[in-house]
Amino acid sequence: MTFLKSACIEPMYSELPFLERFQAAKDDGFDFVEFWSWTDKDLDAVKAAAEKAGIGIAGFNGDAELSLIDPEQREAYLAFLRRSVEAAKKVGARSVTIHSNGLGDGGVVINSYPELSDTVKLCAMFDTLKECAKIAGESGVAMNLEPLNVTTDHAGNFLQTTRMAAELTRLIGSPKLKVLYDAYHMQLNEGSLCDNIRAYGDQFGHIHVADAPGRHEPGTGEINYAGVFACLEETGYTGLVGFELIPKTTTAEAVKAIVKL
């Protein structure tokens, strides 16, 4: 099958002003765009640019600098998440992405909470995720929980494996709370991509693609994306595939690699 494609227009199309990236992505055959932060964007302009280009908005990050694993941040986390959901509804975005730890500039983990045990972190995350699922169900805006690599980009992040993320969403059991499976992050953290897709693919709400190492377009690293996509098809995945990658040379060359794949 052919999956609907989304371009992450923070690292892609960076040679263009932000609002021009919507049309550029549409012209290159993408069905959706996504981006990282919403608080630094003019949401009215974002909505207008997407509507003018005739392209959907897949989503953006919903939690900024706050952490699911900190029990003292629970209420602040949920309050900001509600603001993110309202922003998503304003621009017509399908989802928001959530993480275990707050992320700063460049995706740096702000606090790894060494003073908290793994038990406290996991229980706090599960407790708050149940409330996230309620907000998602009431609003209609989906939420995707993303494990991140700790080897290269996000040292100290608590949620590191497909299994932990998928077991959390399975226990909560909401159709609006799923896993964002980023093959780049998971190749670095755990490998065995197809084994994990087969085991947990029923919990995937969104897919991110970039090759590893390097986080560039498919074909520049070691991941066999033809095999990954075939495996996703086997599991019955019907969601979006988001290309969250840093073009090795230019966006135009990266798009050629995506089209070829």
Side-chain angles (χ1 to χ4, degrees), residues 8 17 34 54 77 83 231 239:
C8 185
E34 54 194 84
Y77 185 98
R83 289 179 58 206
C231 193

Side-chain angles (χ1 to χ4, degrees), residues 64 85 143 238 260:
V85 165
M143 297 183 188
T238 58
K260 181 179 178 181

Side-chain angles (χ1 to χ4, degrees), residues 22-254:
F22 294 81
Q23 187 63 58
K26 178 67 173 181
D27 291 344
D28 282 337
F30 290 99
D31 307 285
F32 290 83
V33 296
E34 54 194 84
F35 44 89
W36 289 331
S37 172
W38 64 268
T39 55
D40 59 349
K41 309 290 192 299
D42 179 335
L43 297 183
D44 289 323
V46 164
K47 181 179 181 181
E51 289 178 347
K52 182 179 179 181
I55 197 166
I57 299 177
F60 44 75
N61 291 341
D63 47 14
E65 299 179 353
L66 296 163
S67 296
L68 279 169
I69 60 173
D70 181 354
E72 294 186 0
Q73 288 193 355
R74 181 179 186 276
E75 295 308 316
Y77 185 98
L78 292 171
F80 185 83
L81 183 64
R82 290 186 181 96
R83 289 179 58 206
S84 297
V85 165
E86 289 306 309
K89 290 165 67 175
K90 182 179 180 70
V91 301
R94 293 164 51 129
S95 68
V96 296
T97 304
I98 54 179
H99 307 88
S100 62
N101 295 65
L103 304 175
D105 291 342
V108 173
V109 171
I110 295 170
N111 190 345
S112 62
Y113 298 95
E115 74 279 11
L116 299 180
S117 70
D118 285 356
T119 302
V120 170
K121 293 174 183 178
L122 185 59
C123 289
M125 182 160 58
F126 180 71
D127 181 57
T128 305
L129 281 173
K130 288 190 292 183
E131 294 303 311
C132 294
K134 290 180 183 178
I135 295 170
E138 292 167 357
S139 68
V141 176
M143 297 183 188
N144 294 310
L145 177 65
E146 183 179 23
L148 302 173
N149 84 75
V150 295
T151 66
T152 307
D153 303 298
H154 308 286
N157 196 68
F158 180 66
L159 184 60
Q160 303 173 19
T161 67
T162 310
R163 179 177 181 175
M164 180 184 283
E167 288 183 342
L168 284 165
T169 59
R170 276 180 181 165
L171 283 170
I172 293 169
S174 167
K176 287 294 186 180
L177 176 66
K178 295 293 183 180
V179 174
L180 195 165
Y181 183 79
D182 187 311
Y184 161 76
H185 288 308
M186 294 302 96
Q187 175 68 5
L188 293 178
N189 272 3
E190 63 189 13
S192 301
L193 299 185
C194 286
D195 286 345
N196 282 302
I197 290 169
R198 292 188 182 99
Y200 305 111
D202 64 295
Q203 291 301 302
F204 294 174
H206 194 67
I207 304 295
H208 272 172
V209 164
D211 218 331
R215 205 172 190 170
H216 302 308
E217 57 268 28
T220 58
E222 64 192 13
I223 299 177
N224 173 15
Y225 268 110
V228 167
F229 288 158
C231 193
L232 284 168
E233 186 173 358
E234 287 176 26
T235 67
Y237 180 75
T238 58
L240 304 183
V241 172
F243 291 84
E244 187 192 44
L245 55 86
I246 302 167
K248 189 169 185 178
T249 55
T250 65
T251 300
E253 290 300 311

